């Protein structure tokens, strides 16, 4: 995942609105972390975004579930008429 602390210049502008209580909490947390409010919010948001994306790619299963998955992957391929039909069609982006 992309590092949240980068030397690249910041050119994208993000805007958000917060309640006064949310602002107070964010400012206090930024101060405790010895960061500017902007750095604190960006770092926190990027960490949450990376975790959300990882949650879509990484999952934990028990040993039995893992073995069942391996067994499915090891099975010989089966004919799938729907997939055969789909792949026989022209790509939609290639048709006028």
């Amino acid at each position: 995942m992309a590092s949240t602390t980068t030397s690249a210049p910041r050119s994208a502008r993000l805007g958000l609105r917060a309640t006064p209580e949310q602002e107070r909490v964010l400012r206090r947390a930024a101060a405790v972390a010895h960061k500017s409010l902007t750095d604190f919010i960006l770092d926190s948001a990027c960490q949450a975004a990376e975790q959300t994306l990882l949650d879509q790619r990484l999952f934990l299963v028990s040993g039995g579930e893992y073995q069942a998955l391996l067994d499915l992957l090891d099975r010989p391929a089966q004919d799938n008429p729907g997939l055969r039909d789909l792949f026989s069609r022209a790509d939609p982006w290639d048709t006028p």
Side-chain angles (χ1 to χ4, degrees):
M1 285 284 135
S3 172
T4 57
T5 55
T6 177
S7 60
R10 293 180 181 170
S11 60
R13 194 157 184 69
L14 303 175
L16 60 94
R17 296 202 182 275
T19 67
E21 179 60 24
Q22 289 170 322
E23 181 187 12
R24 279 192 294 278
V25 169
L26 289 169
R27 286 190 184 281
R28 286 181 55 205
V32 167
H34 304 289
K35 295 180 178 183
S36 69
L37 181 60
T38 297
D39 286 342
F40 181 81
I41 290 172
L42 280 175
D43 288 348
S44 298
C46 285
Q47 286 174 11
E50 288 174 355
Q51 187 60 52
T52 298
L53 294 172
L54 283 173
D55 286 346
Q56 300 300 307
R57 297 185 345 185
L58 177 67
F59 55 94
L60 303 175
V61 295
S62 70
E65 292 168 324
Y66 179 68
Q67 188 57 52
L69 174 61
L70 290 180
D71 292 344
L72 286 171
L73 293 173
D74 287 340
R75 286 192 340 206
Q78 296 177 350
D79 186 43
N80 185 321
L83 278 178
R84 192 174 351 101
D85 176 56
L86 178 66
F87 287 122
S88 70
R89 299 179 193 175
D91 294 328
W93 51 87
D94 288 338
T95 56

